[in-house]
């Protein structure tokens, strides 16, 4: 089966979900990744051996024709749509009527809540997103509903996010499957999967993901102030660490391969605002990176993180209790935590595991060609 993965943005980190979907689909056959061109391609995409093909709302007919031609020449074609935002809803609707084409709609976060949170309390942002703007709340809801109607099944990164879209009425009684993010497989007994560290070595704590307000980066700064013997790592961004901790802070290039970024890292920090509905339902790709490489995670116990990793990470309910967090980090068996999280990767997040879930969803949707290896 040939798969076309469609992403709504070339420049934002939402392309990361499209990349994950493409890695999953590649386990079942040929795959092409397409993204709506809205700026330079997201730099971290260079870390993956995938071509990102670009199109726009005005050139979508070319993509539609390409999908139709593939169905005629290659047989069954899967079109796996990420988020369903405009113009992907129009592409999904058009190709759903083509013989041999099957559409699955994927949801990885609450895009409506994310946009409302982005606009909240800022009149200038509301002016940038008038009621019928393609990324405004009204159009987001309509586009996702249209894409879901065109699909024969829906996929979700977690049960938590599935519940959000079910409550909103976006999805009906069609087959649905939980397919989390994935990362390329690295055998657990080979570097750079973590090894036990020497007790005398200083701890290195990292926040290796996109910097957003709801992701609690200031919690990491407070830890840096309370742990003068520890080192800290983030990707370079417009945000800079405060001057008084900068001598112990490394800022890595955004396109540095993940395996290199994690070199020397002991723990990944995933501080999130538990009051945020967006944070509660997101499956952080940072966690999959850490799990792949056997690194321990210290994170907020969101519904999604608990769904996958309960008992395999160090949960922190209140990031303001810095002394307590520092004590728990110092007392933790970092290597054992990382090893348990690597076990979660093997069962849940490896390409083989996510491809198995996709194959099962295709079978339940009665799609031909889904039993191919």
């Amino acid at each position: 089966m040939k798969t076309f993965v469609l992403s709504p943005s070339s420049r934002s980190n939402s392309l990361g979900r499209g990349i994950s979907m493409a890695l999953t689909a590649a386990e079942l056959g040929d795959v092409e990744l397409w993204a709506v061109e809205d700026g330079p391609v997201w730099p971290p995409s260079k870390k993956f051996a995938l071509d990102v093909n670009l199109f726009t709302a005005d050139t979508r007919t070319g993509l539609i024709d390409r999908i139709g031609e593939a169905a005629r020449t290659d047989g069954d074609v899967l079109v796996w749509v990420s988020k369903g935002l405009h113009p992907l809803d129009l592409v999904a609707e058009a190709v759903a009527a083509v013989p041999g084409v099957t559409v699955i709609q994927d949801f990885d976060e609450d895009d409506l809540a994310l946009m409302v949170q982005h606009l909240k309390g800022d009149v200038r942002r509301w002016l940038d997103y008038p009621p019928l703007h393609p990324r405004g709340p009204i159009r987001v809801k309509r586009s996702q509903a249209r894409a879901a109607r065109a699909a024969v099944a829906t996929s979700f990164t977690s049960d938590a996010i599935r519940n959000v879209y079910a409550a909103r009425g976006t999805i009906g009684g069609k087959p649905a499957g939980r397919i989390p993010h994935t990362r390329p497989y690295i055998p657990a007994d080979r570097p750079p999967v973590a090894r036990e560290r020497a007790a005398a070595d200083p701890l290195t704590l990292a926040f290796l993901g996109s910097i957003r307000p709801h992701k609690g980066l200031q919690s990491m700064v407070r830890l840096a102030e309370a742990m003068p013997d520890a080192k800290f790592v983030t990707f370079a961004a417009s945000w800079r660490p405060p001057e008084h901790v900068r001598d112990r802070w490394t800022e890595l290039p955004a396109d540095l391969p993940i395996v290199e970024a994690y070199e020397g890292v002991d723990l990944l920090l995933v501080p999130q605002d538990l009051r945020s509905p967006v944070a509660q339902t997101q499956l952080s790709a940072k966690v999959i990176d850490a799990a792949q490489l056997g690194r321990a995670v210290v994170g907020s116990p969101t519904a999604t993180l608990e769904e996958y990793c309960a008992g395999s990470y160090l949960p922190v309910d209140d990031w303001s209790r810095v002394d307590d967090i520092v004590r728990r980090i110092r007392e933790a068996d970092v290597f054992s935590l990382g090893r348990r999280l690597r076990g979660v990767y093997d069962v849940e997040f490896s390409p083989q595991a996510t491809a198995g879930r996709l194959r099962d969803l295709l079978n339940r949707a009665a799609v031909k060609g889904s039993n191919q290896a």
Side-chain angles (χ1 to χ4, degrees):
M1 171 174 280
K2 183 177 180 68
T3 300
F4 290 83
V5 172
L6 309 186
S7 174
S9 172
S10 62
R11 67 179 176 87
S12 77
N13 64 352
S14 65
L15 182 58
R17 176 56 177 170
I19 290 171
S20 181
M21 293 161 65
L23 292 172
T24 293
E27 295 290 312
L28 304 184
D30 293 337
V31 62
E32 292 184 17
L33 173 59
W34 289 79
V36 177
E37 185 176 12
D38 57 358
V41 175
W42 185 54
S45 67
K46 298 176 183 178
K47 303 172 186 178
F48 303 92
L50 289 167
D51 294 327
V52 181
N53 303 284
L54 304 177
F55 73 103
T56 66
D58 293 335
T59 63
R60 68 179 185 273
T61 55
L63 173 58
I64 293 169
D65 290 343
R66 182 175 179 83
I67 292 170
E69 180 62 24
R72 287 188 293 272
T73 59
D74 300 335
D76 295 311
V77 167
L78 169 63
V79 176
W80 199 5
V81 183
S82 174
K83 297 181 180 291
L85 303 177
H86 179 82
L88 300 188
D89 56 330
L90 302 181
V91 176
E93 198 171 54
V95 301
V98 176
V101 173
T102 298
V103 177
I104 292 181
Q105 173 58 45
D106 179 80
F107 296 108
D108 68 310
E109 60 187 348
D110 188 349
D111 297 291
L112 178 59
L114 189 62
M115 178 51 66
V116 170
Q117 179 175 288
H118 175 71
L119 297 175
K120 188 176 181 180
D122 193 325
V123 175
R124 291 170 300 178
R125 287 179 178 172
W126 277 104
L127 294 174
D128 290 336
Y129 292 89
L132 295 182
H133 189 283
R135 292 296 187 267
I138 293 175
R139 288 285 297 279
V140 165
K141 188 174 182 179
R142 287 180 181 175
S143 296
Q144 292 189 322
R146 180 184 291 114
R149 285 194 300 270
V152 299
T154 50
S155 59
F156 302 88
T157 46
S158 67
D159 288 336
I161 196 63
R162 176 184 178 178
N163 292 340
V164 167
Y165 283 93
R168 191 170 292 156
T170 306
I171 58 173
K174 298 175 182 178
R178 188 180 73 158
I179 305 177
H181 304 314
T182 190
R183 288 294 183 267
Y185 183 77
I186 298 174
D189 60 350
R190 297 182 191 173
V193 177
R195 296 289 184 271
E196 292 193 71
R197 56 187 289 277
D201 291 343
L203 280 170
T204 298
L205 293 78
F207 180 97
L208 294 175
S210 301
I211 295 173
R212 296 287 186 273
H214 64 273
K215 295 181 179 179
L217 191 63
Q218 285 304 121
S219 300
M220 186 175 182
V221 174
R222 289 193 288 269
L223 284 177
E225 294 169 340
M227 301 177 72
D229 57 336
K231 300 176 182 179
F232 294 82
V233 178
T234 54
F235 285 125
S238 57
W239 179 90
R240 297 296 311 283
E243 185 69 33
H244 64 287
V245 297
R246 200 168 292 173
D247 62 327
R248 295 181 288 114
W249 205 294
T250 300
E251 295 177 274
L252 304 174
D255 59 354
L256 188 70
I258 287 296
V259 294
E260 295 181 32
Y262 272 87
E263 190 172 326
V265 168
D266 298 301
L267 298 103
L268 175 74
L269 298 175
V270 190
Q272 293 180 289
D273 184 353
L274 293 175
R275 298 166 299 180
S276 166
V278 174
Q280 281 288 349
T281 55
Q282 277 183 332
L283 174 59
S284 173
K286 297 186 293 293
V287 172
I288 284 76
D289 293 330
Q292 174 202 33
L293 299 172
R295 295 325 197 260
V297 165
V298 180
S300 303
T302 64
T304 301
L305 191 55
E306 280 289 293
E307 183 178 323
Y308 283 105
C309 303
S312 299
Y313 76 106
L314 190 64
V316 172
D317 293 285
D318 185 355
W319 289 86
S320 67
R321 300 176 61 186
V322 178
D323 291 342
D324 181 61
I325 298 170
V326 171
R327 176 187 60 78
R328 293 176 64 204
I329 287 175
R330 294 195 187 283
E331 292 176 354
D333 185 340
V334 173
F335 177 69
S336 293
L337 277 174
R339 186 167 52 189
R340 290 208 298 272
L341 198 59
R342 169 63 197 215
V344 176
Y345 168 84
D346 289 334
V347 173
E348 299 280 8
F349 304 141
S350 69
Q352 295 85 353
T354 57
R357 292 178 179 270
L358 176 59
R359 185 183 294 111
D360 174 70
L361 179 58
L362 289 167
N363 284 335
R364 286 188 285 116
V367 177
K368 297 178 182 179
S370 61
N371 289 314
Q372 296 176 14

